[in-house]
Amino acid sequence: MRNYLNYWLSMFRFAIKGGKLYYLWVGFLVALIGWGGLLYYHQLVEGLIVTHMSDQVSWGLGIANFVYFVGVAASAVILVFPAYINRNQDIKEVVLLAQQLAFTAIVMCLLFIITDIGRPERFLHMIPFMGGHLNLPSSILAWDVVVINIYFVLNLYVPAYLLYMRYMGRQTKWYLYYPLIFVLMFFAIGIQVSEAFLLSGLGSRYFWNTAILAPRFIISAFSVGPAIFYLVFLAVNYHTKLAVKSTVFDYLKSVMRVTLPINLFLLLCEIFKELYPGTLHAASAQYLYFGLKGHHLLIWFIWPATIMNVIAALLVSFKQFRNNQVLFLIACHLCILGLWIEKGMGLVIPGFIPTPLGEISEYYPNLDEVVLCLGIAAIGALMFTVIAKVTTGVLTGELRYEKKSSLKERD
């Protein structure tokens, strides 16, 4: 127990040490969190009336971000599989960072949901023994909650156990974590499938009622995840003593080279299915891509996003572009932003427009909603910054257990 307390104390001391750039970054995130917190308090007091959501469009920017970041969390499996199953040592050195990013993304998802439902106590309706009822097995929403929380716990326990053993300099016991890796991989896919079923199961929302929504979610997650990991590992290489091997970057490139074109192909299939027959069920897709009855707000989001995804796919598909570091970084940024719009605003909002009664009520987030979501993103960024700093310290040996002093931190 004493060793464990010293472990936490040493992590805290290591986390608060850093250079000027580190403190500036942390200070910026804290300021953003504070701004978002003030606006959330305003929303909590006044209600959702201060947002641009309405009876017709009851899911806004928060749910759009939730859908996107669940995919980011699930994408950690693309590094978990080769690290633990194929025993790729280069990837295994950094897989803890991917799992911690997944853990952070799930925390952000929960915060997006809590802020988007207006009053947080509504969450208690789904928690047994606290006045709520989970309504299993009939509710897809209940399954989604269960799957996401199990994935959250797995991504908390496995990296924490491995990191603690590495800090203590002890051999890991395989039966305490290895079987859970298989469970984790299953639930990584499960959180995407349950989320897709939650949307496609709403039969009156034709835009979501499609059989390829789950494959689209999985492929888009495996497209944006490598782009984020690539940028994170570059930052780790630049700002820490942990050297991420070039083979890891090559692996991420190879994943994107496959998944980005497939994501575009599935999108093309969806567009054809929606628009070619020209039925009334295509009203949401028509509104999204071409406008409907004089309403065309989302056109300004979806077409730039589609163009960004096409450019990103072209840049990663050709070797001469892919091997150019500048062009590949551009592809990563375009992919992250393009898929954020396509999977978030471009998927969630059109499902409500038009309503089943034919009403058209457009939605766009106001400044309060944008800042509140930025505040949640800042919480995730701050969590990951601190966790990644401690993790790289343990992995490089800067932070390790010493019998005499119980703590040694090398400069």
Side-chain angles (χ1 to χ4, degrees):
M1 187 63 184
R2 184 178 178 183
N3 288 339
Y4 196 65
L5 291 176
N6 283 330
Y7 170 59
W8 277 96
L9 183 61
S10 63
M11 285 198 300
F12 174 75
R13 288 173 176 168
F14 192 81
I16 61 175
K17 291 181 179 177
K20 185 183 294 184
L21 184 63
Y22 177 71
Y23 290 124
L24 283 173
W25 171 243
V26 171
F28 169 73
L29 294 176
V30 170
L32 205 53
I33 292 170
W35 191 13
L38 287 175
L39 293 178
Y40 178 58
Y41 175 76
H42 177 62
Q43 176 182 304
L44 206 58
V45 172
E46 301 295 333
L48 292 176
I49 191 68
V50 300
T51 71
H52 278 180
M53 286 186 284
S54 60
D55 290 340
Q56 290 80 12
V57 183
S58 55
W59 288 357
L61 186 61
I63 300 296
N65 282 320
F66 167 79
V67 173
Y68 178 78
F69 280 102
V70 167
V72 173
S75 65
V77 75
I78 63 171
L79 293 173
V80 168
F81 185 86
Y84 295 107
I85 307 303
N86 292 340
R87 301 183 186 280
N88 184 314
Q89 290 302 317
D90 292 347
I91 295 179
K92 197 170 185 178
E93 281 294 315
V94 296
V95 71
L96 291 181
L97 293 172
Q99 292 180 266
Q100 290 160 345
L101 184 61
F103 167 76
T104 306
I106 293 293
V107 172
M108 293 166 60
C109 289
L110 296 176
L111 292 175
F112 283 127
I113 291 292
I114 290 174
T115 55
D116 203 79
I117 62 177
R119 302 193 65 84
E121 68 270 20
R122 290 172 180 157
F123 218 43
L124 299 178
H125 290 295
M126 297 189 66
I127 301 179
F129 311 112
M130 297 187 70
H133 179 58
L134 201 51
N135 198 23
L136 285 173
S138 58
S139 170
I140 297 296
L141 177 61
W143 281 110
D144 196 38
V145 170
V146 170
V147 171
I148 285 178
N149 279 282
I150 291 176
Y151 188 67
F152 171 79
V153 172
L154 290 172
N155 276 296
L156 175 63
Y157 167 74
V158 173
Y161 169 73
L162 295 176
L163 199 64
Y164 178 68
M165 298 304 281
R166 182 76 172 254
Y167 167 81
M168 296 297 293
R170 298 175 184 169
Q171 289 292 322
T172 57
K173 297 176 181 177
W174 69 269
Y175 54 86
L176 289 181
Y177 78 96
Y178 197 70
L180 295 177
I181 296 298
F182 293 91
V183 182
L184 187 149
M185 290 190 293
F186 174 79
F187 278 92
I189 302 300
I191 60 174
Q192 287 289 268
V193 173
S194 64
E195 187 184 34
F197 283 3
L198 178 64
L199 295 177
S200 62
L202 300 172
S204 62
R205 306 291 179 179
Y206 300 117
F207 188 66
W208 300 331
N209 189 225
T210 168
I212 66 167
L213 195 59
R216 279 188 66 195
F217 275 14
I218 293 171
I219 287 298
S220 64
F222 291 175
S223 300
V224 74
I228 294 176
F229 293 139
Y230 195 95
L231 298 180
V232 169
F233 292 156
L234 274 183
V236 167
N237 261 353
Y238 188 78
H239 293 288
T240 75
K241 295 180 180 178
L242 180 66
V244 182
K245 303 289 194 307
S246 61
T247 53
V248 178
F249 293 105
D250 293 339
Y251 170 73
L252 294 173
K253 286 181 179 180
S254 64
V255 173
M256 291 179 68
R257 186 182 60 177
V258 174
T259 55
L260 271 173
I262 294 177
N263 180 68
L264 286 178
F265 172 70
L266 292 177
L267 177 65
L268 180 65
C269 293
E270 192 65 42
I271 292 174
F272 177 81
K273 188 272 291 182
E274 289 284 332
L275 298 180
Y276 184 77
T279 67
L280 291 176
H281 294 178
S284 295
Q286 188 177 346
Y287 165 72
L288 176 63
Y289 287 99
F290 303 106
L292 186 66
K293 298 179 181 178
H295 301 276
H296 42 69
L297 184 63
L298 287 185
I299 290 176
W300 306 107
F301 292 90
I302 196 62
W303 281 111
T306 304
I307 292 171
M308 283 189 278
N309 289 333
V310 169
I311 294 174
L314 290 174
L315 290 178
V316 302
S317 296
F318 296 97
K319 187 176 180 180
Q320 59 271 35
F321 297 149
R322 190 169 62 248
N323 290 339
N324 185 309
Q325 181 74 343
V326 175
L327 292 179
F328 191 76
L329 289 178
I330 292 174
C332 288
H333 286 89
L334 291 177
C335 170
I336 292 170
L337 183 57
L339 282 174
W340 176 74
I341 296 173
E342 180 192 310
K343 196 177 179 182
M345 294 286 288
L347 178 75
V348 174
I349 309 305
F352 293 97
I353 306 172
T355 69
L357 296 177
E359 295 177 270
I360 296 179
S361 177
E362 293 191 295
Y363 164 84
Y364 62 92
N366 61 23
L367 181 62
D368 287 14
E369 293 173 87
V370 172
V371 175
L372 177 55
C373 288
L374 286 176
I376 294 173
I379 292 174
L382 181 59
M383 283 180 59
F384 184 71
T385 299
V386 173
I387 292 173
K389 186 175 191 301
V390 171
T391 300
T392 54
V394 174
L395 293 177
T396 57
E398 296 173 86
L399 182 61
R400 66 174 186 265
Y401 176 73
E402 290 288 340
K403 288 184 179 180
K404 292 182 180 179
S405 60
S406 76
L407 170 64
K408 182 177 182 181
E409 297 171 18
R410 295 190 306 191
D411 293 328

